[in-house]
Amino acid sequence: MHIQNKKRFYLMMGLLGVVIILLGFSIAMIWSAISSNNAPVQTTSNTANPAAADSTQGNRTDTTASQAIADPTDTLVLVNKTTSLDEDYLPPDLVWVDLPGVRETQLRKEAAAALEDIFAAATAKKLSLYCCSGYRSYQTQEELYAENVKNYGQKEADLVSAKPGQSEHQTGLAMDVTAESVNFDLLESFGQTLEGEFIKNNAHQYGFIIRYPEDKTTITGYAYEPWHLRYVGKDVAAEIYEKKLTFEEYLKTS
Ligand SMILES: [Zn+2]
């Protein structure tokens, strides 16, 4: 190599070196910019996570339309379209109800004893009440609800039957009663039978309320069910009866 060429060579190498350094520096800058861009993305996704959890919870709430219940064994437990029992909730003291009925059924001990008293009072008036359905498990309710949706469609089914977890029957504190005059069925006309009238006027004395009264659908979420008795204890039942409240209204004001 000539000296001239050598000079040019070193100059070229020098320039190449500068270009490489500049290129490296640029890459480093770009990389750092990308990284710092990633950081806020990360932050966004981090702050989005709790939101996602909320929305999952929101979805869960929408699906079951429910809040958790603090103490499902409480006699005054509220179970409706916005408060649900757990899938595995089993009342602690279920007993078989020793009363005439269309099938064998269970209630919690205190409610069963109170039901025996009201049946005895009815018998004393020469009326014949029959048990239809007391405690129902989450799984039984699931089948029942699915059956109702299949037969009547979602909207109608929601008016007359509860989604699993949202049925008072899972509390072991509710009993559907019927009479021979309505062919042992659960019909609105039960309310006009002698047995239905007796229930309406006297259930509170034994600690029961008509849980889904007439013209209270907007509050209870359910159509009139003159046959559905809910045990709440004598004092609360008396207050609800005298003030013509729904259970929801009673709990709000008490
Ligand atoms: Zn019922």
Side-chain angles (χ1 to χ4, degrees), residues 82-146:
T82 52
T83 51
S84 279
L85 291 165
D86 280 347
E87 187 172 351
D88 54 2
Y89 174 66
L90 180 70
D93 50 4
L94 286 176
V95 294
W96 290 101
V97 178
D98 189 19
L99 289 168
V102 298
R103 66 174 69 83
E104 291 292 306
T105 190
Q106 293 172 292
L107 275 185
R108 286 185 63 189
K109 205 173 170 186
E110 197 180 332
L115 196 72
E116 283 177 19
D117 290 345
I118 193 173
F119 269 50
T123 305
K125 300 226 176 218
K126 304 203 180 318
L127 300 173
S128 299
L129 286 169
Y130 292 83
C131 295
C132 186
S133 188
Y135 167 74
R136 285 200 292 266
S137 69
Y138 183 100
Q139 290 71 24
T140 303
Q141 190 65 32
E142 201 165 33
E143 291 164 18
L144 200 68
Y145 179 73

Short mmCIF file of all heavy atoms in Angstrom, two decimals, residues 82-146:
data_model
loop_
_atom_site.label_atom_id
_atom_site.label_comp_id
_atom_site.label_asym_id
_atom_site.label_seq_id
_atom_site.Cartn_x
_atom_site.Cartn_y
_atom_site.Cartn_z
N THR A 82 -80.90 -10.03 44.36
CA THR A 82 -79.61 -9.33 44.48
C THR A 82 -78.70 -9.91 45.56
O THR A 82 -77.57 -9.48 45.70
CB THR A 82 -79.81 -7.82 44.74
OG1 THR A 82 -80.67 -7.66 45.86
CG2 THR A 82 -80.39 -7.11 43.54
N THR A 83 -79.22 -10.85 46.33
CA THR A 83 -78.36 -11.50 47.33
C THR A 83 -78.51 -13.01 47.21
O THR A 83 -79.61 -13.53 47.25
CB THR A 83 -78.71 -11.06 48.77
OG1 THR A 83 -80.11 -11.22 48.96
CG2 THR A 83 -78.32 -9.63 49.03
N SER A 84 -77.38 -13.67 47.09
CA SER A 84 -77.39 -15.12 46.81
C SER A 84 -76.70 -15.94 47.89
O SER A 84 -75.74 -15.49 48.50
CB SER A 84 -76.61 -15.40 45.53
OG SER A 84 -77.38 -15.16 44.43
N LEU A 85 -77.16 -17.16 48.00
CA LEU A 85 -76.49 -18.13 48.86
C LEU A 85 -75.43 -18.85 48.04
O LEU A 85 -75.57 -19.01 46.83
CB LEU A 85 -77.50 -19.15 49.38
CG LEU A 85 -78.52 -18.60 50.39
CD1 LEU A 85 -79.68 -19.57 50.56
CD2 LEU A 85 -77.85 -18.34 51.73
N ASP A 86 -74.39 -19.31 48.74
CA ASP A 86 -73.34 -20.09 48.06
C ASP A 86 -73.91 -21.40 47.56
O ASP A 86 -74.84 -21.95 48.14
CB ASP A 86 -72.20 -20.40 49.05
CG ASP A 86 -71.29 -19.23 49.23
OD1 ASP A 86 -71.37 -18.28 48.42
OD2 ASP A 86 -70.48 -19.25 50.18
N GLU A 87 -73.26 -21.88 46.54
CA GLU A 87 -73.65 -23.14 45.92
C GLU A 87 -73.67 -24.29 46.94
O GLU A 87 -74.52 -25.17 46.90
CB GLU A 87 -72.66 -23.45 44.79
CG GLU A 87 -73.04 -24.63 43.97
CD GLU A 87 -72.13 -24.78 42.75
OE1 GLU A 87 -71.34 -23.86 42.48
OE2 GLU A 87 -72.25 -25.81 42.08
N ASP A 88 -72.72 -24.23 47.87
CA ASP A 88 -72.60 -25.34 48.82
C ASP A 88 -73.24 -25.06 50.18
O ASP A 88 -73.02 -25.79 51.13
CB ASP A 88 -71.13 -25.74 49.00
CG ASP A 88 -70.26 -24.54 49.38
OD1 ASP A 88 -70.83 -23.43 49.54
OD2 ASP A 88 -69.04 -24.69 49.53
N TYR A 89 -74.04 -23.98 50.27
CA TYR A 89 -74.66 -23.70 51.57
C TYR A 89 -75.75 -24.73 51.89
O TYR A 89 -76.70 -24.90 51.14
CB TYR A 89 -75.27 -22.28 51.64
CG TYR A 89 -76.02 -22.11 52.95
CD1 TYR A 89 -75.32 -22.11 54.16
CD2 TYR A 89 -77.41 -22.01 52.99
CE1 TYR A 89 -76.00 -22.00 55.38
CE2 TYR A 89 -78.09 -21.90 54.20
CZ TYR A 89 -77.38 -21.90 55.38
OH TYR A 89 -78.05 -21.81 56.59
N LEU A 90 -75.59 -25.35 53.03
CA LEU A 90 -76.55 -26.32 53.53
C LEU A 90 -76.96 -25.85 54.92
O LEU A 90 -76.11 -25.69 55.80
CB LEU A 90 -75.88 -27.70 53.61
CG LEU A 90 -76.73 -28.87 54.10
CD1 LEU A 90 -77.79 -29.26 53.09
CD2 LEU A 90 -75.84 -30.08 54.42
N PRO A 91 -78.27 -25.62 55.15
CA PRO A 91 -78.69 -25.17 56.48
C PRO A 91 -78.24 -26.20 57.54
O PRO A 91 -78.28 -27.40 57.29
CB PRO A 91 -80.22 -25.12 56.37
CG PRO A 91 -80.49 -24.98 54.91
CD PRO A 91 -79.40 -25.75 54.23
N PRO A 92 -77.84 -25.71 58.72
CA PRO A 92 -77.20 -26.59 59.70
C PRO A 92 -78.14 -27.56 60.42
O PRO A 92 -77.71 -28.57 60.91
CB PRO A 92 -76.59 -25.60 60.70
CG PRO A 92 -77.43 -24.37 60.58
CD PRO A 92 -77.87 -24.31 59.15
N ASP A 93 -79.43 -27.21 60.50
CA ASP A 93 -80.31 -28.01 61.37
C ASP A 93 -81.60 -28.43 60.66
O ASP A 93 -82.70 -28.25 61.19
CB ASP A 93 -80.62 -27.21 62.64
CG ASP A 93 -81.09 -25.80 62.32
OD1 ASP A 93 -81.24 -25.47 61.12
OD2 ASP A 93 -81.32 -25.01 63.26
N LEU A 94 -81.45 -28.97 59.47
CA LEU A 94 -82.63 -29.42 58.72
C LEU A 94 -83.25 -30.65 59.38
O LEU A 94 -82.55 -31.54 59.84
CB LEU A 94 -82.22 -29.79 57.28
CG LEU A 94 -81.91 -28.66 56.31
CD1 LEU A 94 -81.44 -29.24 54.98
CD2 LEU A 94 -83.10 -27.73 56.11
N VAL A 95 -84.58 -30.65 59.41
CA VAL A 95 -85.31 -31.83 59.91
C VAL A 95 -86.40 -32.17 58.89
O VAL A 95 -86.85 -31.31 58.14
CB VAL A 95 -85.97 -31.57 61.29
CG1 VAL A 95 -84.91 -31.35 62.36
CG2 VAL A 95 -86.93 -30.37 61.24
N TRP A 96 -86.79 -33.43 58.86
CA TRP A 96 -87.91 -33.81 57.99
C TRP A 96 -89.18 -33.29 58.61
O TRP A 96 -89.39 -33.40 59.83
CB TRP A 96 -87.96 -35.34 57.81
CG TRP A 96 -86.82 -35.83 56.99
CD1 TRP A 96 -85.68 -36.43 57.45
CD2 TRP A 96 -86.69 -35.73 55.57
NE1 TRP A 96 -84.84 -36.71 56.40
CE2 TRP A 96 -85.44 -36.29 55.24
CE3 TRP A 96 -87.49 -35.22 54.55
CZ2 TRP A 96 -84.97 -36.35 53.93
CZ3 TRP A 96 -87.04 -35.28 53.24
CH2 TRP A 96 -85.79 -35.84 52.94
N VAL A 97 -90.04 -32.70 57.80
CA VAL A 97 -91.27 -32.11 58.31
C VAL A 97 -92.31 -33.22 58.49
O VAL A 97 -92.64 -33.93 57.54
CB VAL A 97 -91.79 -31.02 57.33
CG1 VAL A 97 -93.10 -30.44 57.83
CG2 VAL A 97 -90.75 -29.92 57.18
N ASP A 98 -92.81 -33.34 59.73
CA ASP A 98 -93.76 -34.39 60.05
C ASP A 98 -95.20 -33.87 59.94
O ASP A 98 -95.91 -33.74 60.94
CB ASP A 98 -93.46 -34.91 61.47
CG ASP A 98 -94.26 -36.15 61.79
OD1 ASP A 98 -94.74 -36.81 60.85
OD2 ASP A 98 -94.44 -36.45 62.99
N LEU A 99 -95.59 -33.52 58.74
CA LEU A 99 -96.92 -32.94 58.49
C LEU A 99 -97.44 -33.49 57.16
O LEU A 99 -96.65 -33.96 56.34
CB LEU A 99 -96.81 -31.41 58.40
CG LEU A 99 -96.53 -30.64 59.69
CD1 LEU A 99 -96.17 -29.20 59.39
CD2 LEU A 99 -97.73 -30.70 60.65
N PRO A 100 -98.77 -33.41 56.94
CA PRO A 100 -99.28 -33.87 55.65
C PRO A 100 -98.66 -33.08 54.51
O PRO A 100 -98.44 -31.87 54.64
CB PRO A 100 -100.79 -33.59 55.72
CG PRO A 100 -101.09 -33.24 57.12
CD PRO A 100 -99.83 -32.86 57.80
N GLY A 101 -98.37 -33.77 53.42
CA GLY A 101 -97.75 -33.05 52.31
C GLY A 101 -97.81 -33.86 51.03
O GLY A 101 -98.13 -35.04 51.05
N VAL A 102 -97.49 -33.21 49.95
CA VAL A 102 -97.51 -33.89 48.66
C VAL A 102 -96.21 -34.65 48.43
O VAL A 102 -96.11 -35.47 47.53
CB VAL A 102 -97.79 -32.92 47.49
CG1 VAL A 102 -99.15 -32.26 47.65
CG2 VAL A 102 -96.71 -31.84 47.41
N ARG A 103 -95.21 -34.37 49.25
CA ARG A 103 -93.94 -35.09 49.19
C ARG A 103 -93.20 -34.90 50.51
O ARG A 103 -93.56 -34.02 51.30
CB ARG A 103 -93.07 -34.60 48.03
CG ARG A 103 -92.59 -33.16 48.19
CD ARG A 103 -91.61 -32.78 47.09
NE ARG A 103 -92.26 -32.67 45.80
CZ ARG A 103 -92.90 -31.59 45.37
NH1 ARG A 103 -92.99 -30.53 46.15
NH2 ARG A 103 -93.46 -31.55 44.18
N GLU A 104 -92.22 -35.71 50.74
CA GLU A 104 -91.37 -35.57 51.93
C GLU A 104 -90.52 -34.32 51.72
O GLU A 104 -89.95 -34.12 50.64
CB GLU A 104 -90.46 -36.78 52.08
CG GLU A 104 -91.18 -38.06 52.43
CD GLU A 104 -91.77 -38.03 53.83
OE1 GLU A 104 -91.01 -37.75 54.78
OE2 GLU A 104 -92.99 -38.25 53.97
N THR A 105 -90.44 -33.49 52.75
CA THR A 105 -89.64 -32.28 52.60
C THR A 105 -89.05 -31.84 53.94
O THR A 105 -89.50 -32.27 54.99
CB THR A 105 -90.48 -31.15 51.93
OG1 THR A 105 -89.63 -30.08 51.58
CG2 THR A 105 -91.59 -30.66 52.84
N GLN A 106 -88.03 -31.01 53.86
CA GLN A 106 -87.30 -30.60 55.07
C GLN A 106 -87.40 -29.10 55.31
O GLN A 106 -87.59 -28.31 54.37
CB GLN A 106 -85.82 -30.96 54.94
CG GLN A 106 -85.54 -32.45 54.93
CD GLN A 106 -84.08 -32.71 54.59
OE1 GLN A 106 -83.64 -32.47 53.47
NE2 GLN A 106 -83.33 -33.19 55.57
N LEU A 107 -87.21 -28.73 56.58
CA LEU A 107 -87.11 -27.32 56.99
C LEU A 107 -86.09 -27.26 58.12
O LEU A 107 -85.76 -28.29 58.71
CB LEU A 107 -88.45 -26.81 57.55
CG LEU A 107 -89.52 -26.28 56.61
CD1 LEU A 107 -90.67 -25.73 57.45
CD2 LEU A 107 -88.99 -25.19 55.68
N ARG A 108 -85.65 -26.05 58.43
CA ARG A 108 -84.81 -25.92 59.61
C ARG A 108 -85.70 -26.15 60.84
O ARG A 108 -86.91 -25.88 60.81
CB ARG A 108 -84.16 -24.53 59.65
CG ARG A 108 -83.04 -24.43 58.62
CD ARG A 108 -82.30 -23.14 58.71
NE ARG A 108 -81.63 -23.00 60.00
CZ ARG A 108 -81.05 -21.89 60.42
NH1 ARG A 108 -81.06 -20.82 59.65
NH2 ARG A 108 -80.45 -21.83 61.59
N LYS A 109 -85.09 -26.64 61.89
CA LYS A 109 -85.81 -27.11 63.08
C LYS A 109 -86.85 -26.10 63.61
O LYS A 109 -88.00 -26.44 63.84
CB LYS A 109 -84.77 -27.41 64.17
CG LYS A 109 -85.25 -28.41 65.18
CD LYS A 109 -84.10 -28.77 66.10
CE LYS A 109 -84.64 -29.59 67.27
NZ LYS A 109 -83.58 -29.84 68.25
N GLU A 110 -86.40 -24.85 63.77
CA GLU A 110 -87.28 -23.83 64.35
C GLU A 110 -88.48 -23.54 63.44
O GLU A 110 -89.62 -23.39 63.92
CB GLU A 110 -86.45 -22.53 64.54
CG GLU A 110 -87.08 -21.53 65.47
CD GLU A 110 -86.21 -20.28 65.62
OE1 GLU A 110 -84.97 -20.37 65.48
OE2 GLU A 110 -86.78 -19.20 65.88
N ALA A 111 -88.22 -23.51 62.15
CA ALA A 111 -89.29 -23.24 61.18
C ALA A 111 -90.26 -24.43 61.11
O ALA A 111 -91.47 -24.23 61.00
CB ALA A 111 -88.69 -22.96 59.81
N ALA A 112 -89.72 -25.63 61.21
CA ALA A 112 -90.56 -26.82 61.17
C ALA A 112 -91.51 -26.86 62.37
O ALA A 112 -92.70 -27.17 62.23
CB ALA A 112 -89.69 -28.07 61.15
N ALA A 113 -90.98 -26.50 63.54
CA ALA A 113 -91.81 -26.48 64.77
C ALA A 113 -92.92 -25.44 64.64
O ALA A 113 -94.08 -25.69 65.00
CB ALA A 113 -90.93 -26.18 65.97
N ALA A 114 -92.57 -24.28 64.08
CA ALA A 114 -93.56 -23.21 63.90
C ALA A 114 -94.62 -23.63 62.87
O ALA A 114 -95.81 -23.32 63.03
CB ALA A 114 -92.86 -21.93 63.44
N LEU A 115 -94.19 -24.36 61.86
CA LEU A 115 -95.14 -24.82 60.84
C LEU A 115 -96.11 -25.86 61.43
O LEU A 115 -97.30 -25.85 61.11
CB LEU A 115 -94.39 -25.43 59.65
CG LEU A 115 -95.25 -25.57 58.38
CD1 LEU A 115 -95.53 -24.23 57.73
CD2 LEU A 115 -94.57 -26.50 57.37
N GLU A 116 -95.61 -26.69 62.33
CA GLU A 116 -96.49 -27.66 63.01
C GLU A 116 -97.57 -26.91 63.77
O GLU A 116 -98.73 -27.32 63.79
CB GLU A 116 -95.67 -28.55 63.95
CG GLU A 116 -94.89 -29.62 63.21
CD GLU A 116 -94.01 -30.48 64.13
OE1 GLU A 116 -94.25 -30.49 65.35
OE2 GLU A 116 -93.08 -31.11 63.60
N ASP A 117 -97.20 -25.81 64.40
CA ASP A 117 -98.17 -25.02 65.17
C ASP A 117 -99.25 -24.42 64.28
O ASP A 117 -100.42 -24.45 64.61
CB ASP A 117 -97.44 -23.89 65.93
CG ASP A 117 -96.59 -24.42 67.07
OD1 ASP A 117 -96.78 -25.60 67.44
OD2 ASP A 117 -95.72 -23.67 67.56
N ILE A 118 -98.83 -23.88 63.15
CA ILE A 118 -99.84 -23.25 62.28
C ILE A 118 -100.74 -24.31 61.63
O ILE A 118 -101.95 -24.09 61.47
CB ILE A 118 -99.21 -22.28 61.24
CG1 ILE A 118 -100.30 -21.42 60.60
CG2 ILE A 118 -98.41 -22.97 60.17
CD1 ILE A 118 -99.79 -20.33 59.70
N PHE A 119 -100.19 -25.45 61.32
CA PHE A 119 -101.00 -26.54 60.76
C PHE A 119 -102.02 -27.01 61.81
O PHE A 119 -103.17 -27.28 61.48
CB PHE A 119 -100.11 -27.71 60.31
CG PHE A 119 -99.68 -27.61 58.86
CD1 PHE A 119 -99.12 -26.46 58.35
CD2 PHE A 119 -99.82 -28.71 58.00
CE1 PHE A 119 -98.72 -26.37 57.02
CE2 PHE A 119 -99.44 -28.64 56.67
CZ PHE A 119 -98.87 -27.47 56.18
N ALA A 120 -101.58 -27.09 63.06
CA ALA A 120 -102.48 -27.51 64.14
C ALA A 120 -103.61 -26.50 64.31
O ALA A 120 -104.77 -26.87 64.50
CB ALA A 120 -101.68 -27.66 65.44
N ALA A 121 -103.26 -25.20 64.22
CA ALA A 121 -104.27 -24.15 64.34
C ALA A 121 -105.27 -24.24 63.18
O ALA A 121 -106.47 -24.02 63.36
CB ALA A 121 -103.59 -22.78 64.36
N ALA A 122 -104.79 -24.57 62.00
CA ALA A 122 -105.67 -24.72 60.84
C ALA A 122 -106.59 -25.92 61.03
O ALA A 122 -107.80 -25.82 60.79
CB ALA A 122 -104.84 -24.88 59.57
N THR A 123 -106.01 -27.00 61.49
CA THR A 123 -106.80 -28.22 61.73
C THR A 123 -107.91 -27.93 62.74
O THR A 123 -109.04 -28.40 62.58
CB THR A 123 -105.88 -29.35 62.24
OG1 THR A 123 -104.82 -29.52 61.31
CG2 THR A 123 -106.64 -30.66 62.38
N ALA A 124 -107.60 -27.14 63.77
CA ALA A 124 -108.59 -26.77 64.78
C ALA A 124 -109.75 -26.01 64.16
O ALA A 124 -110.86 -26.00 64.69
CB ALA A 124 -107.93 -25.94 65.88
N LYS A 125 -109.50 -25.37 63.03
CA LYS A 125 -110.57 -24.63 62.31
C LYS A 125 -111.13 -25.48 61.18
O LYS A 125 -111.76 -24.96 60.25
CB LYS A 125 -110.00 -23.32 61.75
CG LYS A 125 -109.44 -22.40 62.83
CD LYS A 125 -109.90 -20.96 62.65
CE LYS A 125 -109.40 -20.13 63.79
NZ LYS A 125 -110.31 -19.13 64.27
N LYS A 126 -110.83 -26.77 61.24
CA LYS A 126 -111.29 -27.73 60.23
C LYS A 126 -110.77 -27.41 58.82
O LYS A 126 -111.45 -27.59 57.81
CB LYS A 126 -112.82 -27.84 60.23
CG LYS A 126 -113.39 -28.20 61.59
CD LYS A 126 -114.76 -28.83 61.47
CE LYS A 126 -115.36 -29.19 62.82
NZ LYS A 126 -114.46 -29.81 63.81
N LEU A 127 -109.60 -26.88 58.77
CA LEU A 127 -108.94 -26.62 57.48
C LEU A 127 -107.79 -27.61 57.32
O LEU A 127 -107.18 -28.02 58.31
CB LEU A 127 -108.39 -25.19 57.43
CG LEU A 127 -109.41 -24.07 57.59
CD1 LEU A 127 -108.72 -22.73 57.71
CD2 LEU A 127 -110.40 -24.05 56.42
N SER A 128 -107.53 -27.97 56.09
CA SER A 128 -106.44 -28.93 55.84
C SER A 128 -105.37 -28.33 54.96
O SER A 128 -105.55 -28.15 53.75
CB SER A 128 -107.00 -30.19 55.18
OG SER A 128 -107.93 -30.79 56.03
N LEU A 129 -104.26 -28.03 55.59
CA LEU A 129 -103.11 -27.52 54.83
C LEU A 129 -102.19 -28.68 54.48
O LEU A 129 -102.13 -29.68 55.19
CB LEU A 129 -102.34 -26.51 55.68
CG LEU A 129 -102.98 -25.13 55.89
CD1 LEU A 129 -102.22 -24.36 56.97
CD2 LEU A 129 -102.98 -24.34 54.58
N TYR A 130 -101.47 -28.52 53.40
CA TYR A 130 -100.50 -29.53 52.97
C TYR A 130 -99.18 -28.86 52.63
O TYR A 130 -99.16 -27.78 52.01
CB TYR A 130 -101.01 -30.30 51.75
CG TYR A 130 -102.21 -31.17 52.06
CD1 TYR A 130 -103.49 -30.62 52.06
CD2 TYR A 130 -102.06 -32.52 52.37
CE1 TYR A 130 -104.60 -31.39 52.37
CE2 TYR A 130 -103.16 -33.31 52.68
CZ TYR A 130 -104.43 -32.74 52.68
OH TYR A 130 -105.52 -33.51 52.99
N CYS A 131 -98.11 -29.52 53.01
CA CYS A 131 -96.78 -29.04 52.61
C CYS A 131 -96.56 -29.41 51.16
O CYS A 131 -96.96 -30.48 50.71
CB CYS A 131 -95.70 -29.73 53.43
SG CYS A 131 -95.75 -29.35 55.17
N CYS A 132 -95.91 -28.51 50.46
CA CYS A 132 -95.59 -28.84 49.08
C CYS A 132 -94.08 -28.92 48.90
O CYS A 132 -93.54 -29.92 48.45
CB CYS A 132 -96.19 -27.80 48.15
SG CYS A 132 -95.97 -28.22 46.43
N SER A 133 -93.40 -27.85 49.28
CA SER A 133 -91.95 -27.86 49.08
C SER A 133 -91.27 -26.96 50.11
O SER A 133 -91.59 -25.78 50.22
CB SER A 133 -91.65 -27.37 47.66
OG SER A 133 -90.28 -27.53 47.38
N GLY A 134 -90.34 -27.55 50.85
CA GLY A 134 -89.58 -26.80 51.84
C GLY A 134 -88.17 -26.56 51.33
O GLY A 134 -87.98 -25.90 50.30
N TYR A 135 -87.21 -27.13 52.03
CA TYR A 135 -85.80 -26.94 51.63
C TYR A 135 -85.52 -27.52 50.24
O TYR A 135 -85.96 -28.61 49.91
CB TYR A 135 -84.88 -27.62 52.66
CG TYR A 135 -83.46 -27.75 52.16
CD1 TYR A 135 -82.64 -26.62 52.11
CD2 TYR A 135 -82.95 -28.97 51.72
CE1 TYR A 135 -81.34 -26.71 51.62
CE2 TYR A 135 -81.66 -29.07 51.24
CZ TYR A 135 -80.85 -27.95 51.19
OH TYR A 135 -79.59 -28.05 50.70
N ARG A 136 -84.82 -26.71 49.47
CA ARG A 136 -84.32 -27.20 48.18
C ARG A 136 -82.85 -26.84 48.06
O ARG A 136 -82.45 -25.71 48.38
CB ARG A 136 -85.07 -26.54 47.01
CG ARG A 136 -86.48 -27.07 46.79
CD ARG A 136 -87.00 -26.78 45.38
NE ARG A 136 -87.23 -25.39 45.11
CZ ARG A 136 -88.42 -24.77 45.27
NH1 ARG A 136 -89.46 -25.43 45.73
NH2 ARG A 136 -88.55 -23.50 44.97
N SER A 137 -82.06 -27.79 47.61
CA SER A 137 -80.62 -27.54 47.44
C SER A 137 -80.39 -26.64 46.23
O SER A 137 -81.27 -26.48 45.38
CB SER A 137 -79.88 -28.86 47.24
OG SER A 137 -80.22 -29.40 45.97
N TYR A 138 -79.20 -26.10 46.15
CA TYR A 138 -78.79 -25.27 45.01
C TYR A 138 -78.97 -26.05 43.71
O TYR A 138 -79.47 -25.54 42.72
CB TYR A 138 -77.33 -24.87 45.21
CG TYR A 138 -76.75 -23.95 44.15
CD1 TYR A 138 -76.65 -22.58 44.39
CD2 TYR A 138 -76.30 -24.44 42.94
CE1 TYR A 138 -76.11 -21.74 43.44
CE2 TYR A 138 -75.77 -23.60 41.97
CZ TYR A 138 -75.67 -22.25 42.24
OH TYR A 138 -75.13 -21.42 41.28
N GLN A 139 -78.56 -27.33 43.77
CA GLN A 139 -78.60 -28.17 42.55
C GLN A 139 -80.03 -28.45 42.12
O GLN A 139 -80.34 -28.41 40.93
CB GLN A 139 -77.84 -29.49 42.80
CG GLN A 139 -76.33 -29.34 42.92
CD GLN A 139 -75.87 -28.65 44.21
OE1 GLN A 139 -76.58 -28.66 45.23
NE2 GLN A 139 -74.70 -28.05 44.18
N THR A 140 -80.92 -28.69 43.10
CA THR A 140 -82.33 -28.91 42.77
C THR A 140 -82.92 -27.66 42.13
O THR A 140 -83.66 -27.73 41.16
CB THR A 140 -83.13 -29.28 44.05
OG1 THR A 140 -82.53 -30.43 44.62
CG2 THR A 140 -84.58 -29.57 43.75
N GLN A 141 -82.57 -26.50 42.71
CA GLN A 141 -83.07 -25.23 42.19
C GLN A 141 -82.56 -24.98 40.78
O GLN A 141 -83.27 -24.45 39.93
CB GLN A 141 -82.66 -24.08 43.13
CG GLN A 141 -83.34 -22.76 42.81
CD GLN A 141 -84.85 -22.79 43.02
OE1 GLN A 141 -85.33 -23.51 43.90
NE2 GLN A 141 -85.59 -22.05 42.23
N GLU A 142 -81.34 -25.39 40.55
CA GLU A 142 -80.72 -25.24 39.23
C GLU A 142 -81.54 -26.00 38.17
O GLU A 142 -81.84 -25.47 37.11
CB GLU A 142 -79.30 -25.80 39.30
CG GLU A 142 -78.36 -25.31 38.22
CD GLU A 142 -76.90 -25.62 38.56
OE1 GLU A 142 -76.63 -26.67 39.21
OE2 GLU A 142 -76.04 -24.81 38.18
N GLU A 143 -81.91 -27.22 38.52
CA GLU A 143 -82.71 -28.05 37.60
C GLU A 143 -84.10 -27.46 37.39
O GLU A 143 -84.60 -27.39 36.28
CB GLU A 143 -82.85 -29.48 38.16
CG GLU A 143 -81.54 -30.26 38.15
CD GLU A 143 -81.58 -31.49 39.04
OE1 GLU A 143 -82.69 -31.94 39.41
OE2 GLU A 143 -80.49 -32.00 39.38
N LEU A 144 -84.68 -27.00 38.51
CA LEU A 144 -86.04 -26.43 38.48
C LEU A 144 -86.07 -25.17 37.62
O LEU A 144 -86.98 -24.98 36.79
CB LEU A 144 -86.46 -26.10 39.91
CG LEU A 144 -87.93 -25.95 40.20
CD1 LEU A 144 -88.63 -27.30 40.06
CD2 LEU A 144 -88.12 -25.43 41.63
N TYR A 145 -85.08 -24.33 37.81
CA TYR A 145 -85.01 -23.07 37.07
C TYR A 145 -84.82 -23.34 35.57
O TYR A 145 -85.50 -22.74 34.74
CB TYR A 145 -83.87 -22.20 37.60
CG TYR A 145 -83.72 -20.89 36.87
CD1 TYR A 145 -84.65 -19.86 37.05
CD2 TYR A 145 -82.67 -20.68 35.97
CE1 TYR A 145 -84.53 -18.67 36.36
CE2 TYR A 145 -82.54 -19.48 35.28
CZ TYR A 145 -83.47 -18.48 35.49
OH TYR A 145 -83.35 -17.29 34.80
N ALA A 146 -83.93 -24.27 35.26
CA ALA A 146 -83.68 -24.62 33.86
C ALA A 146 -84.95 -25.16 33.20
O ALA A 146 -85.26 -24.82 32.04
CB ALA A 146 -82.55 -25.65 33.77
#
